Amino acid sequence: LGLNAQNTLAIPATIQGATIDLTLAPDSVQFQSGLKTATLGYNGSYLGPTILLTQGDAVTMNVTNSILDSTTAHWHGLHVAAENDGGPHTIIEPGDTWSPSSTVMDKAATYWYHPHLHTKTGEQAMKGAAGLIIVTDAEEALLDLPRTYGIDDIPLVIQTQQFDMNNQINIDGMRDSIMVVNGTIDPMVDMPAQIVRMRILNADQERNYNFGLTADQSFSVIGSKSM
């Protein structure tokens, strides 16, 4: 995560069960010295909790919109019915709650959730309306993989931001050179001396990334999805 890292990497909380309650609300974060940055977050000030699901489980997502704008909640990559997908036509108006129910059909993998409102997707996601979804299944459970969340199974939600002179996020900025990982600038994380697993999400609005390790150290890719 960089030799000049200074700040302990924030690890999103987890949420699980047959009913998942998410509330999207406005907040602010002290990203840099000076004014706080206006943000959005699910159940918190920035980003959202990691949703833990198991293949075959029935789950209801209760998504409450507490921002002063319309939004949606899209389960990116999950196999759900069109009416439960949270696309641009499934709008959640301010003050309303949307409660889709479905059975988890997907195999073990890392997915994510975010708004998918027409013309507002990038703005809301870059301000923090995004979170991971981790699905497990019986096949994956038999594999010898790191699976202690936040210790040797590390979520990495990656964005680059441009802040204006008032420390506010410039959604249309083309000089978005400040990398933010899980809401942390210049992050560092202590890892155990063993094989570790990283769940990398490109939650950026426009950028693609080439990830690697210093000194050309080898690593294995055990799953990848591009959409």
Side-chain angles (χ1 to χ4, degrees):
L1 293 178
L3 298 177
N4 298 318
Q6 300 177 23
N7 303 306
T8 300
L9 178 71
I11 302 294
T14 60
I15 187 170
Q16 59 186 316
T19 301
I20 304 294
D21 294 321
L22 299 172
T23 298
L24 180 62
D27 210 319
S28 60
V29 172
Q30 191 76 61
F31 283 114
Q32 304 183 104
S33 61
L35 295 174
K36 286 188 174 183
T37 301
T39 58
L40 301 176
Y42 296 97
N43 299 4
S45 59
Y46 188 77
L47 300 178
T50 297
I51 300 173
L52 305 180
L53 302 175
T54 300
Q55 185 183 44
D57 284 355
V59 62
T60 297
M61 306 286 198
N62 295 319
V63 185
T64 299
N65 179 8
S66 291
I67 66 174
L68 299 177
D69 199 355
S70 302
T71 191
T72 79
H74 172 57
W75 322 109
H76 195 125
L78 291 187
H79 186 177
V80 297
E83 62 267 24
N84 297 329
D85 189 52
H89 301 293
T90 312
I91 296 173
I92 313 171
E93 298 293 354
D96 288 349
T97 297
W98 179 55
S99 300
S101 297
S102 59
T103 298
V104 181
M105 301 176 65
D106 302 271
K107 295 181 68 65
T110 304
Y111 307 87
W112 67 304
Y113 61 97
H114 60 84
H116 210 318
L117 187 66
H118 181 57
T119 75
K120 295 292 183 70
T121 297
E123 175 184 348
Q124 293 183 2
M126 292 304 293
K127 286 186 175 181
L132 288 172
I133 301 171
I134 295 177
V135 176
T136 57
D137 64 19
E139 181 180 1
E140 189 264 354
L142 296 176
L143 301 177
D144 185 17
L145 294 171
R147 59 185 76 255
T148 305
Y149 180 84
I151 303 298
D152 58 16
D153 188 349
I154 310 294
L156 300 175
V157 181
I158 297 174
Q159 297 173 312
T160 50
Q161 299 282 16
Q162 178 184 337
F163 299 97
D164 65 20
M165 64 179 60
N166 294 315
N167 276 346
Q168 303 310 301
I169 294 172
N170 184 350
I171 300 301
D172 298 318
M174 297 304 292
R175 297 185 298 277
D176 53 339
S177 58
I178 298 177
M179 182 167 284
V180 183
V181 183
N182 297 354
T184 308
I185 297 176
D186 292 332
M188 61 84 62
V189 59
D190 289 324
M191 294 184 178
Q194 62 172 71
I195 292 175
V196 297
R197 186 178 189 177
M198 298 182 186
R199 298 180 184 267
I200 301 173
L201 168 63
N202 178 2
D204 222 320
Q205 181 169 215
E206 296 181 349
R207 289 184 180 271
N208 293 320
Y209 296 96
N210 292 318
F211 293 107
L213 300 177
T214 56
D216 290 328
Q217 298 177 75
S218 63
F219 59 93
S220 298
V221 177
I222 61 173
S224 180
K225 192 167 187 127
S226 177
M227 292 184 67

